Amino acid sequence: ATSSWQYGGTCASLLNSVSHASKERGRDPTGLGRWSFVRIRGKKRRLQAADMDNNSSARGNFSQDLVVISAYRPNPPGIGESTVWAQHRLYFNSIGRKEEPRQAFVTDLSKAIRKWRNEGCEVILGVDANEDVSVNSPSSFRQKMRDVGLEEAILATHRTGTAATYQRNTHDIPIDGIFATSGVSISAGGYYPFHEFFSCNHRGLWIDIDLHQTLGGHSPSRSSFKPRQLSLQDKRSVRKYLQVVHDGYDRYSILARLEN
């Protein structure tokens, strides 16, 4: 039996003054919710010859943007067909792709990161890797991220030991991490206690960065935009708005999910 309920999902957001510097937002193109991202506008620069040799898809001028990614990698196979891993496998089988879901996550995310790097971007990745991110073996997630130019920022800052980021883990194994490219200027980083700020069985992770330097010496400026307005005197607009809301409630089964 199959179900329309899909576990997982991610969210990436910008707050306060940085929100005005948003250049792009997006998500995992498969629709599986494996990652979401926001792109912050950086300083415009011109590629040097050495840069162009290493960035074959980039030409001439580029912007030293910062891409911030929130990602979730499924657990290894569990019991039943409702696990995230099983749902991902079902999707990949439906399109004729036989790659194991956890490996497919690494393949697809690495491809996306390479594209951003080729465009001159710096990258920060916050991820629940469901794997020990302190391991340095050739097949480890940490090494796969190194292969695309990212290093685990918290472990690089605190080299004296590790701590569990999942509450049920009793062996000080971090399965969550913040990875960053070398151009991200990081001054500090660490873990929050469990249930600090939000109720969750994972720790909150944090890093402090020099955003001005990371964006190539560019400070985010406010974007101008025209706010959308709904005029209650315009009956046609009101009917259209209500229809969109009703369609959205039906499409995502909002009322049924609130009752459950």
Side-chain angles (χ1 to χ4, degrees), residues 49-68:
D51 295 325
M52 295 180 71
D53 290 339
N54 296 323
N55 297 275
S56 59
S57 68
R59 291 292 183 268
N61 295 324
F62 76 101
S63 178
Q64 188 173 319
D65 299 337
L66 172 63
V67 177
V68 182

Side-chain angles (χ1 to χ4, degrees), residues 20-32:
H20 296 283
S22 176
K23 182 176 180 178
E24 182 187 2
R25 62 183 180 180
R27 60 183 179 178
D28 167 20
T30 65
L32 293 172

Side-chain angles (χ1 to χ4, degrees), residues 137-158:
S137 69
S139 61
S140 67
F141 182 81
R142 188 178 189 181
Q143 184 58 50
K144 296 301 181 183
M145 291 300 98
R146 279 188 179 138
D147 292 343
V148 291
L150 277 69
E151 182 58 83
E152 212 293 322
I154 298 175
L155 296 178
T157 303
H158 303 279

Side-chain angles (χ1 to χ4, degrees), residues 104-122:
F105 171 88
V106 175
T107 299
D108 295 346
L109 181 59
S110 297
K111 180 180 178 181
I113 291 173
R114 286 192 180 96
K115 176 179 178 295
W116 287 315
R117 293 294 288 151
N118 286 342
E119 294 172 356
C121 298
E122 299 298 338

